[in-house]
Structures are given as structure tokens and as C-alpha cells.
């Protein structure tokens, strides 16, 4: 029964996408309700599998080439159950929110069909029991992300952002594929259960597989696609680029954690990439004026936190004297709480954008506290959660778990992550104050109005989980196999640090920024602001490389192909063949006397060869 339910769960969104594509392409309203009903079914089945404690493994052979076989199967343990609960809940909230947000969109059917394709792809990653199956759905997630970012393809910026996301992710996925091939070559299997018990220790395998996470979870240096992906509809940003798809890289790392065992060098690489991404993205967020770009860089920073937590984890001793990977628990705990409060913040920003007639510049907002009271309350809860308001919000518990782990393992990393948390509280309070406080600074903000029920309900649900989600690891038992690994702080050190972070970060931003039409930092320190706004010119460096190096190298290769391959080799050989053909054709004169001469010459040559002549 559980296996059949898992199969239905996986195929349900695929059926929805196919039905919409085949029959409902011009029926936007009906397509939206089919997709929402599918998301509801996914949530119900997922809830049954997760909270009834149903855990199972199943596998079947799909393709075979000699001794090489590709299997499709399910691995549903507590780790998969936790990820499934996140995908199902956030996915349903985004679907319902989209009913209102995309109500007037003429391509609603394509949009909701794309959401169903994405849900199918994401569920495949969650349930996969081997790396080959995971890679198949990994690529489908990239494809569905491309479709949804490019939803408003009439805009050049949206089309360019979709292509950028697709290409950058292919770079990471190439490393991921090499890692899978190398893993199969050395171990003879890519089954996750088998690899957990028997595998060859190798630095290359986990680091190559990590390349996939660097691309999908937008870690440096492959982070450049995520901010641009905000060109897609805001609900897409909430579902794909904040809560689920970008979290797939973290989930994959936790799945392959046994491959990192005994390879501390690989864990150190992962840790430092996460740390660098976290602090870099936090600096970038301080200088952004687009409400979605602020949240995008915030997502990059929080994903860096999770990657750093995984790299820090290695092995600690549980009170029950069982060796466990603490990094998995801390990373997945923050993944869960981040999914709730970041989806809330993105949907809240969507409500603000919708209410302000699609205005996204935070310096053209202001005064929305009175005009959008429900959005203000729920958004404030999201800001408090990501800032780590002690004992009240989920973000406090998960962030402090990572800080506590860093304090145990590496004091330098702890200091950097604590400073990153200060920046997080700083830029989120800046965003909150500029959007909701003061007076309206534009016509669109002046005439803003609260959103309808379909958009309000998901905000309320996610706000509740942004508060209670943190208590899951303390009092819940549904995900004990993962969340019991969370390293809880002992004593008052982390609490004092958290209070200091909140006071310095949030308090500093509240005192420093004024609700005005210009950035206070740009006025008081234009040099620092310009540096932060430049994002260290990484995008410009990529553009220079593509235009001046890669493109010119491609043109050089094209020249070689035209001259040598197409010219000398292909056309040259074709010329020789043509000459032979002309000569042979000239021999066919149609005169009997000519054929007699050729016959006599042939007889002489054949007799000479038979007689032993040497030609």
C-alpha cells in the first residue's frame, strides 16, 4: 500500500501537466483549479505517508545495457519524509496564492501546467533511491524552472534570465554527472542505501557530486543565475527559488553524506564555499532596491548557511553514544524553517507588488502598514523569523543550531556566520521599514489595497509555521531520524549571541535608515554603497569571459572547422572522388571498339598478375 501511494503521489502532477497541455491550453481558469486540486491531493497523500510513520524502500529495473542497469525506486526514510512535507505544504500554498496573483494572466494554463511539471520533478528527487534516478529528475527540475522563469517570455529580461539559469545550472550538472559516473565505476552501484554501507573512499566523487549542489543551490561561483531568476512570477520565486528547488542541492548533499565520511578535505571545501556564499550574498542584499532582489540575495545567504552547516557536521557523539552526522540535522532543520519563512516573505512581497500595481522598487513604496494590515503582520513574522527573534520564531532555533555547531567546530567560521546573521537582521529590517513604515512615496503605494482571500490564506498558514516550525525538532517525533541530529545549544552563550545579533543588526538598521525616496547608505557613504551594489563585478567578469574569451575561442574553432574539416578534408576528398568519377564516366563512350581495347588491357594485366609479374 505505501508503495502504491508513493507511485500515485509521483504520477499525479505528471497527469495534471499532461491533461492541461492536451486539453486545457485555452481554459486558464479550469487549468488553475486542476493544478490546485492536484497540489491538494499531493499534500493529503504526503501527510498520510509522513505522519502515519510509513517508511519503505522499493526498486525495479528500468533499463539494461549488458551488465549496466538503471533502476527506478523509492527510498522513503525520515529525511525524505521531511523534504516531502516541505515540498507538499509550500507547493500547496503557492498554488493557492497563484489563483489570485495570476488571475488576470492570459497564459494561466501554461503557468499552472509548469507548476505541475515542477511538482512532478521535485517529488522525483525527494523519492529517488539512486543517483541515476535523482539526476533524471534533477534535469527535469531545471527544465521546469526554465519554463517558469520564462513565463513572461515577451520580456527580454525574462528570456535572458531563463537562459542564464539553464546554462549556469548545466555547468554544475556536468560535474554532478561526472561524479555519478565515477561513483558507479568505482563502487559498481549508485544506490543510496548500498553506498551508505559500502563505498570507496574518494575525494573526487563527493566533490564532483557537490558541483550539482553548487549549481542548483546557487553557491559561489555559480550563484549568478538566482537573482536574475526573479524575472519570473513572484509565486514561482517563492516555490522554486526560495523553498524547494534551490533546497534540492542541500537535500542531495544530505543524501550522499556517507560519501563524505572519512574525507575531511572535501567537507572543508563544502564548508568554506558555504561560508563565503553566506557572507558575500548578505553584503549584496544591503544595496538592493528591488524587493525581490533583496530576498533573492537573502536566499543565497541562507543557502550558504545550510551548506556551511553540512560541511561543519562531520561526526559528533549523540548522548546515546551513536555516531551521527550533526551537519545533516542542522542543515535540514534550517532548510525546513527557511522554507516556511522565506516562502512567506516571497509571497508577502508578491502581495505588496500586486497591491502596488506591480511596483517592485522599495523606495517607491512606504506607508503600507495601514493599507495592507494582514500582509504587514505576516511579513513582520517572516522578518522576525529570518532575523532569529529568540524563542518565538522558527528561525531562531535553526540558525542557533548552526551557530552552536560552528562554535564547537571552528571559531573563525562561527565569527563569520554570526556577522552574516547581523547583516541578515540589518538588511531585512531595512526592507521592512522602507516598505511598510513612513508615508507612501508613489502613486502606486498611495492606492495600494489588501489582497483577497486566496492570497491571504497562504500568508497566514506560512506565518503560523514560521513560528511553530522551530519546535518540531524539540517536541516532534515525525522526523526523529533527522532532527534528533540537531545540535542544541547548552548554556547561555548562543542565546546571548543571538540577542546581540538582533540588537545590533535590526536595531542598527531601524536607527540608520529613514523611510525616504533615496538610500540612506548611498547618501552617507557612496563609496561603500557603490562597492556593495557592484556585487564585486562577478557578473561583469562572466560577461567579459563569454564575450572576449569563450566567444572568440568558439570563432577560432569555427574557422578551423571551415578551413580544415569542411574545406580541405571534406571538400578536398569530395573533389578527388569527383575527379575519379569524371574519369570513370569518360571511359563509358558507348563505342564497342573502346570496350574491346579495355577488355584486352584487362586480360593482359590479369595474365601478368597470374604469371607473377611485379607491378
Amino acid at each position: 500500500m505505501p508503495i502504491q501511494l508513493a507511485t500515485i503521489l509521483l504520477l499525479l502532477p505528471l497527469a495534471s501537466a499532461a491533461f492541461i497541455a492536451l486539453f486545457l491550453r485555452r481554459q486558464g481558469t479550469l487549468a488553475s483549479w486542476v493544478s490546485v486540486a492536484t497540489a491538494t491531493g499531493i499534500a493529503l497523500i504526503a501527510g498520510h505517508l509522513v505522519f502515519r510513520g510509513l517508511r519503505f524502500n522499493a526498486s525495479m529495473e528500468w533499463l539494461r545495457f549488458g551488465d549496466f542497469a538503471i533502476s527506478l525506486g523509492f527510498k522513503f526514510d525520515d529525511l525524505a519524509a521531511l523534504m516531502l512535507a516541505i515540498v507538499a505544504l509550500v507547493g500547496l500554498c503557492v498554488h493557492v496564492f497563484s489563483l489570485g496573483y495570476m488571475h488576470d494572466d492570459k497564459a494561466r494554463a501554461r503557468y499552472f501546467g509548469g507548476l505541475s511539471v515542477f511538482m512532478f520533478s521535485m517529488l522525483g528527487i525527494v523519492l529517488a533511491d539512486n543517483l541515476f534516478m535523482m539526476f533524471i529528475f534533477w534535469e527535469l527540475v531545471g527544465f521546469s524552472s526554465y519554463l517558469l522563469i520564462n513565463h513572461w517570455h515577451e520580456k527580454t529580461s525574462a528570456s535572458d534570465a531563463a537562459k542564464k539559469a539553464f546554462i549556469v545550472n548545466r555547468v554544475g550538472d556536468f560535474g554532478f554527472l561526472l561524479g555519478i559516473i565515477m561513483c558507479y565505476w568505482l563502487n559498481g552501484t549508485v544506490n543510496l542505501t548500498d553506498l551508505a554501507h559500502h563505498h570507496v573512499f574518494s575525494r573526487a566523487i563527493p566533490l564532483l557530486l557537490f558541483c550539482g549542489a553548487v549549481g542548483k543551490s546557487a553557491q559561489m561561483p555559480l550563484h549568478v543565475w538566482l537573482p536574475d531568476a526573479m524575472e519570473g512570477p513572484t509565486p514561482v520565486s517563492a516555490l522554486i527559488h526560495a523553498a524547494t528547488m534551490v533546497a534540492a542541492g542541500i537535500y542531495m548533499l544530505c543524501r550522499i553524506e556517507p560519501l563524505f565520511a572519512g574525507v575531511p578535505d572535501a567537507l572543508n571545501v563544502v564548508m568554506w564555499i558555504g561560508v563565503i556564499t553566506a557572507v558575500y550574498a548578505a553584503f549584496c542584499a544591503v544595496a538592493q532596491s528591488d524587493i525581490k532582489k533583496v530576498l533573492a540575495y537573502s536566499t543565497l545567504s541562507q543557502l550558504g548557511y545550510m551548506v556551511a552547516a553540512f560541511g561543519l557536521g562531520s561526526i559528533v557523539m549523540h548522548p546515546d553514544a551513536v555516531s551521527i552526522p550533526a551537519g545533516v540535522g542542522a542543515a535540514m532543520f534550517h532548510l525546513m524553517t527557511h522554507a516556511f519563512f522565506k516562502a512567506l516573505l516571497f509571497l508577502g512581497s508578491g502581495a505588496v507588488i500586486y497591491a502596488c500595481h506591480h511596483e517592485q522598487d522599495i523606495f517607491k513604496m512606504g506607508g503600507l502598514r495601514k493599507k495592507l494590515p494582514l500582509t504587514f503582520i505576516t511579513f513582520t513574522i517572516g522578518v522576525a523569523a529570518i532575523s532569529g527573534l529568540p524563542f518565538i520564531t522558527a528561525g531562531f532555533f535553526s540558525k542557533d543550531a548552526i551557530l552552536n555547531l560552528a562554535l564547537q567546530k571552528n571559531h573563525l567560521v562561527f565569527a563569520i556566520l554570526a556577522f552574516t546573521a547581523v547583516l541578515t537582521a540589518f538588511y531585512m529590517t531595512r526592507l521592512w521599514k522602507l516598505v511598510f513604515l513612513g508615508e507612501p512615496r508613489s502613486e502606486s503605494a498611495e492606492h495600494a489595497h489588501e489582497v483577497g482571500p486566496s492570497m491571504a490564506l497562504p500568508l497566514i498558514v506560512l506565518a503560523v509555521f514560521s513560528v511553530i516550525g522551530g519546535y518540531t525538532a524539540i517536541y516532534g517525533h515525525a522526523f526523529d531520524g533527522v532532527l534528533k541530529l540537531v545540535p542544541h545549544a547548552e548554556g547561555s552563550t548562543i542565546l546571548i549571541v543571538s540577542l546581540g545579533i538582533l540588537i545590533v543588526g535590526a536595531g542598527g538598521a531601524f536607527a540608520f535608515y529613514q523611510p525616504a525616496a533615496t538610500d540612506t547608505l548611498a547618501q552617507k557613504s557612496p563609496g561603500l554603497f557603490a562597492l556593495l551594489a557592484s556585487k564585486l563585478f562577478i557578473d561583469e567578469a562572466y560577461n567579459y569571459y563569454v564575450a572576449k574569451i569563450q566567444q572568440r575561442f568558439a570563432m577560432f574553432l569555427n574557422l578551423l572547422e571551415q578551413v580544415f574539416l569542411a574545406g580541405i578534408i571534406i571538400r578536398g576528398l569530395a573533389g578527388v572522388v569527383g575527379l575519379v568519377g569524371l574519369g570513370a564516366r569518360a571511359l563509358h563512350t558507348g563505342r564497342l571498339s573502346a570496350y574491346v581495347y579495355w577488355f584486352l588491357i584487362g586480360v593482359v594485366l590479369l595474365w601478368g598478375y597470374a604469371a607473377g609479374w611485379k607491378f
Side-chain angles (χ1 to χ4, degrees):
M1 183 64 176
I3 297 173
Q4 285 78 5
L5 279 176
T7 304
I8 294 171
L9 177 74
L10 180 61
L11 296 180
L12 194 59
L14 178 62
S16 169
F19 186 71
I20 291 172
L22 292 174
F23 304 110
L24 302 178
R25 283 181 291 179
R26 299 181 185 276
Q27 307 285 333
T29 301
L30 185 55
S32 64
W33 283 106
V34 168
S35 187
V36 170
T38 300
T40 304
I42 290 171
L44 292 174
I45 297 173
H48 179 78
L49 291 172
V50 170
F51 296 107
R52 290 291 299 274
L54 302 175
R55 306 292 185 262
F56 53 88
N57 290 323
S59 182
M60 63 171 287
E61 189 175 293
W62 179 44
L63 291 175
R64 174 170 289 276
F65 304 96
D67 295 331
F68 174 72
I70 299 178
S71 298
L72 297 179
F74 300 140
K75 180 179 175 65
F76 194 70
D77 53 7
D78 282 349
L79 181 61
L82 177 58
M83 193 68 185
L84 178 61
I86 295 168
V87 172
L89 176 62
V90 176
L92 178 58
C93 288
V94 168
H95 275 77
V96 174
F97 187 89
S98 297
L99 287 174
Y101 193 87
M102 304 296 291
H103 182 267
D104 298 325
D105 194 282
K106 295 181 180 179
R108 268 188 300 166
R110 174 160 51 83
Y111 170 82
F112 279 96
L115 285 184
S116 291
V117 172
F118 172 78
M119 292 296 286
F120 166 68
S121 309
M122 195 66 208
L123 291 173
I125 291 177
V126 173
L127 296 172
D129 77 331
N130 66 83
L131 291 175
F132 279 129
M133 179 177 173
M134 183 177 286
F135 185 77
I136 292 169
F137 286 99
W138 192 270
E139 294 303 297
L140 285 174
V141 162
F143 167 71
S144 57
S145 173
Y146 170 83
L147 291 179
L148 291 166
I149 296 171
N150 200 31
H151 178 71
W152 291 319
H153 55 83
E154 301 88 356
K155 295 168 55 180
T156 302
S157 57
S159 180
D160 290 344
K163 289 185 287 187
K164 186 175 184 179
F166 191 82
I167 292 170
V168 172
N169 272 276
R170 298 293 73 73
V171 175
D173 292 352
F174 179 67
F176 187 25
L177 181 59
L178 290 179
I180 294 173
I181 294 171
M182 188 172 181
C183 185
Y184 185 85
W185 178 37
L186 293 179
N187 295 287
T189 181
V190 290
N191 183 275
L192 296 169
T193 302
D194 295 341
L195 289 174
H197 295 94
H198 306 286
H199 64 269
V200 175
F201 290 98
S202 166
R203 289 186 182 89
I205 291 175
L207 288 177
L208 285 171
L209 295 175
F210 176 58
C211 290
V214 170
K216 200 70 74 187
S217 292
Q219 298 297 287
M220 290 187 73
L222 301 182
H223 65 286
V224 292
W225 68 270
L226 184 58
D228 289 11
M230 298 301 108
E231 290 292 336
T234 304
V236 169
S237 302
L239 177 64
I240 295 182
H241 307 124
T244 55
M245 187 192 91
V246 291
I250 313 300
Y251 174 76
M252 184 269 286
L253 282 179
C254 295
R255 268 282 179 242
I256 64 170
E257 187 277 334
L259 296 178
F260 284 88
V263 193
D265 292 347
L267 282 169
N268 281 332
V269 170
V270 173
M271 177 190 71
W272 281 112
I273 286 179
V275 170
I276 293 169
T277 303
V279 69
Y280 164 80
F283 273 121
C284 292
V286 173
Q288 299 300 311
S289 59
D290 186 317
I291 186 171
K292 289 177 66 177
K293 289 289 182 70
V294 175
L295 296 178
Y297 279 104
S298 172
T299 299
L300 285 176
S301 184
Q302 298 302 305
L303 290 167
Y305 246 83
M306 299 173 210
V307 171
F310 178 86
L312 282 164
S314 61
I315 298 295
V316 298
M317 295 305 294
H318 191 268
D320 297 333
V322 178
S323 295
I324 56 173
V328 170
M332 287 302 297
F333 187 28
H334 197 55
L335 186 154
M336 178 186 71
T337 61
H338 175 265
F340 298 145
F341 62 67
K342 187 53 65 67
L344 170 62
L345 290 169
F346 262 110
L347 293 185
S349 72
V352 169
I353 293 168
Y354 186 86
C356 292
H357 309 286
H358 297 280
E359 177 60 67
Q360 295 185 201
D361 189 340
I362 59 178
F363 293 100
K364 295 181 180 179
M365 296 179 183
L368 298 181
R369 176 175 61 87
K370 297 178 181 178
K371 298 181 179 296
L372 309 174
L374 177 64
T375 302
F376 168 71
I377 293 171
T378 55
F379 199 93
T380 301
I381 292 173
V383 171
I386 195 174
S387 301
L389 183 64
F391 300 118
I392 297 176
T393 60
F396 163 74
F397 296 100
S398 60
K399 173 181 65 66
D400 283 12
I402 295 175
L403 289 176
N404 180 58
L405 184 61
L407 184 61
Q408 295 177 18
K409 297 288 183 179
N410 191 310
H411 287 177
L412 176 58
V413 171
F414 169 77
I416 297 174
L417 292 182
F419 177 67
T420 302
V422 172
L423 290 176
T424 301
F426 183 84
Y427 66 69
M428 288 306 303
T429 303
R430 165 186 179 264
L431 171 66
W432 174 80
K433 186 174 184 179
L434 290 171
V435 170
F436 291 102
L437 302 188
E439 298 298 324
R441 296 185 294 276
S442 69
E443 192 73 14
S444 57
E446 184 67 43
H447 295 92
H449 56 83
E450 188 60 273
V451 296
S454 66
M455 298 170 69
L457 181 60
L459 296 179
I460 296 171
V461 172
L462 289 170
V464 171
F465 278 94
S466 296
V467 174
I468 68 172
Y471 292 94
T472 305
I474 302 174
Y475 301 110
H477 299 288
F479 314 109
D480 279 353
V482 180
L483 297 184
K484 269 191 176 179
L485 313 182
V486 176
H488 299 292
E490 297 178 1
S492 58
T493 303
I494 296 297
L495 176 60
I496 294 172
V497 170
S498 296
L499 288 172
I501 287 170
L502 195 62
I503 293 170
V504 174
F510 193 86
F512 182 76
Y513 284 98
Q514 301 300 320
T518 56
D519 195 302
T520 306
L521 182 62
Q523 290 180 325
K524 295 188 176 181
S525 183
L528 176 60
F529 180 83
L531 177 63
L532 298 179
S534 72
K535 299 167 287 187
L536 300 184
F537 302 102
I538 293 179
D539 280 276
E540 287 77 7
Y542 275 123
N543 291 337
Y544 179 86
Y545 165 76
V546 171
K548 302 298 184 181
I549 299 176
Q550 180 175 293
Q551 189 65 19
R552 291 181 179 181
F553 183 64
M555 293 172 64
F556 175 70
L557 291 180
N558 181 64
L559 176 64
L560 293 180
E561 188 272 336
Q562 292 293 327
V563 172
F564 291 101
L565 184 61
I568 297 176
I569 298 177
I570 295 178
R571 293 176 185 171
L573 290 176
V576 172
V577 172
L579 289 174
V580 172
L582 287 174
R585 191 165 53 219
L587 300 178
H588 295 76
T589 61
R591 295 195 300 272
L592 181 61
S593 58
Y595 295 149
V596 170
Y597 284 124
W598 285 115
F599 173 76
L600 292 175
I601 292 172
V603 169
V604 171
L605 292 174
L606 180 61
W607 178 78
Y609 177 78
W613 292 358
K614 294 182 179 180
F615 296 97

